Amino acid sequence: MTTHSLAETAPAFVAVAHRIVWATVATVDPSGQPRTRILHPIWEWDGDSLTGWIATGPTSPKARDLAHDSRISLTYWDASHDVATADCDTAWTLDPESKRAGWQRFVDGPEPVGYDPSIIPGWDGPESEAFGILRLEPHRLRVFPGSLLLRGTGDLLTWSG
């Protein structure tokens, strides 16, 4: 399998992720069982590094899973069979300044991934204890266009760092 550069793979990944919006995210719980849920990350590509962000509850079952194993795998899929996958290390950014920045990142996010976090019950503002920001640092990306599956056209992009 050909490995591509991050500069080639990250923009394609972000394009698919931000178009699809919702990702299936897998964690491993303390007993070693896989757990999945649907989450809404937002991604930032600055030309050198790719960082993902998830607004989520720091006391949720997912937070307990991440305390056991901080790695996640997430996949986007849509009816055209476009697939984008990222394996990531995660870290909570729960200090007040990071929570404010994370809140604003979603408020100012591009359509269709941007949204007002206050629509979530219990998230009255970035200072809410129920609100947290999870930082994603990908170490593997894969972008598989549905056209490759359906017509044999398009490029499978993979990156590992």
Side-chain angles (χ1 to χ4, degrees):
M1 179 180 346
T2 303
T3 300
H4 300 84
S5 70
L6 182 60
E8 187 176 8
T9 309
F13 175 85
V14 172
V16 172
H18 281 191
R19 179 173 48 81
I20 296 173
V21 180
W22 296 96
T24 301
V25 178
T27 59
V28 176
D29 76 9
S31 70
Q33 296 299 309
R35 298 286 180 242
T36 59
R37 73 269 299 142
I38 304 299
L39 296 173
H40 180 162
I42 195 166
W43 294 90
E44 294 176 331
W45 168 244
D46 67 7
D48 291 316
S49 65
L50 178 64
T51 305
W53 306 93
I54 298 174
T56 189
T59 60
S60 65
K62 135 184 27 65
R64 287 188 294 280
D65 293 353
L66 293 171
H68 165 72
D69 186 334
S70 63
R71 298 171 298 168
I72 66 166
S73 183
L74 61 87
T75 298
Y76 297 88
W77 174 87
D78 72 3
S80 70
H81 298 294
D82 287 344
V83 177
T85 300
D87 296 336
C88 304
D89 295 317
T90 68
W92 290 99
T93 58
L94 300 175
D95 61 278
E97 184 178 325
S98 294
K99 287 175 63 170
R100 281 191 299 275
W103 182 279
Q104 202 59 45
R105 185 176 289 111
F106 281 91
V107 167
D108 295 337
E111 291 289 329
V113 293
Y115 72 98
D116 179 357
S118 68
I119 65 170
I120 306 297
W123 290 4
D124 301 322
E127 64 286 339
S128 298
E129 286 190 30
F131 175 78
I133 295 292
L134 188 64
R135 180 184 175 104
L136 311 178
E137 295 292 337
H139 52 84
R140 185 175 93 60
L141 298 173
R142 184 173 189 265
V143 181
F144 185 97
S147 62
L148 190 59
L149 174 69
L150 300 173
R151 295 183 295 285
T153 62
D155 294 317
L156 171 63
L157 300 174
T158 60
W159 167 82
S160 293

